[in-house]
């Protein structure tokens, strides 16, 4: 079933079976491998993208439900908050194995867009759906605070 999706501001024709999760459309059909597969049941957040600006788990979101929506992936997230997060991530050596980081950055970008001065509780709540096997949670919190301070 062919549909047109708007991904990172660009209209993209996709021909995938109905119900195919967005994650597999991004990775397998479009070769956009920045969005990661983690648990496959929306529990770890590795596959977080933005759909109409909201953090969304791509592993459980059928692509054919997204026609007309604006999808943003780690390859396309931009703006002051996203740049501040990337710089703070590097400055704080946040990534260890790095596998969850695209989902973490997508969640952090949405947080700072909605709350440019989050306290610890707001950070913990916003990031609670994104798991990190390396337990870099304190580095993530520190990087988000540093990114917020630079905005």
């Amino acid at each position: 079933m062919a549909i047109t999706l708007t991904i990172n501001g660009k209209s993209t024709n996709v021909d995938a079976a109905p119900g195919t999760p967005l994650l597999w459309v991004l990775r397998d059909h479009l070769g956009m491998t920045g969005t990661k597969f983690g648990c496959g049941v929306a529990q770890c957040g590795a596959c977080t993208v933005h759909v109409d600006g909201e953090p969304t788990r791509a592993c459980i979101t059928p692509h054919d439900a997204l026609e007309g929506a604006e999808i943003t992936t780690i390859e396309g997230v931009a703006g002051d908050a996203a740049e501040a997060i990337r710089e703070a991530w590097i400055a704080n050596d946040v990534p260890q194995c790095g596998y969850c980081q695209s989902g973490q950055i997508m969640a952090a970008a949405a947080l700072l867009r909605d709350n440019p001065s989050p306290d610890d509780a707001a950070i913990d709540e916003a990031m609670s759906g994104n798991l990190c096997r390396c337990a870099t949670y304190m580095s993530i919190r520190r990087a988000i605070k540093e990114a917020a301070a630079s905005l």
Side-chain angles (χ1 to χ4, degrees):
M1 178 176 124
I3 66 169
T4 301
L5 298 175
T6 303
I7 302 171
N8 299 331
K10 179 180 171 190
S11 290
T12 304
N13 294 321
V14 174
D15 189 7
T20 301
L22 175 62
L23 176 63
W24 301 124
V25 168
L26 294 170
R27 292 183 60 84
D28 293 348
H29 293 256
L30 302 175
M32 301 174 70
T33 58
T35 304
K36 304 300 184 196
F37 173 74
C39 65
V41 292
Q43 296 298 302
C44 74
C47 66
T48 302
V49 298
H50 295 171
V51 174
D52 292 331
E54 295 300 316
T56 302
R57 304 299 188 246
C59 70
I60 62 162
T61 304
H63 80 288
D64 44 334
L66 300 174
E67 193 160 19
E70 178 65 40
I71 301 161
T72 305
T73 70
I74 191 69
E75 292 92 344
V77 69
D80 292 342
E83 294 308 315
I85 290 166
R86 286 184 180 111
E87 290 175 17
W89 242 243
I90 293 167
N92 286 279
D93 292 326
V94 172
Q96 291 197 12
C97 84
Y99 197 81
C100 68
Q101 296 304 305
S102 60
Q104 301 278 0
I105 289 171
M106 294 303 287
L111 168 63
L112 291 185
R113 182 200 61 226
D114 296 340
N115 181 357
S117 299
D119 60 15
D120 288 347
I123 293 170
D124 292 347
E125 181 178 333
M127 303 304 291
S128 65
N130 291 77
L131 303 180
C132 175
R133 293 185 295 188
C134 304
T136 61
Y137 301 110
M138 297 308 290
S139 296
I140 290 170
R141 184 193 286 173
R142 187 174 48 250
I144 290 172
K145 286 182 172 182
E146 186 174 302
S150 72
L151 293 175

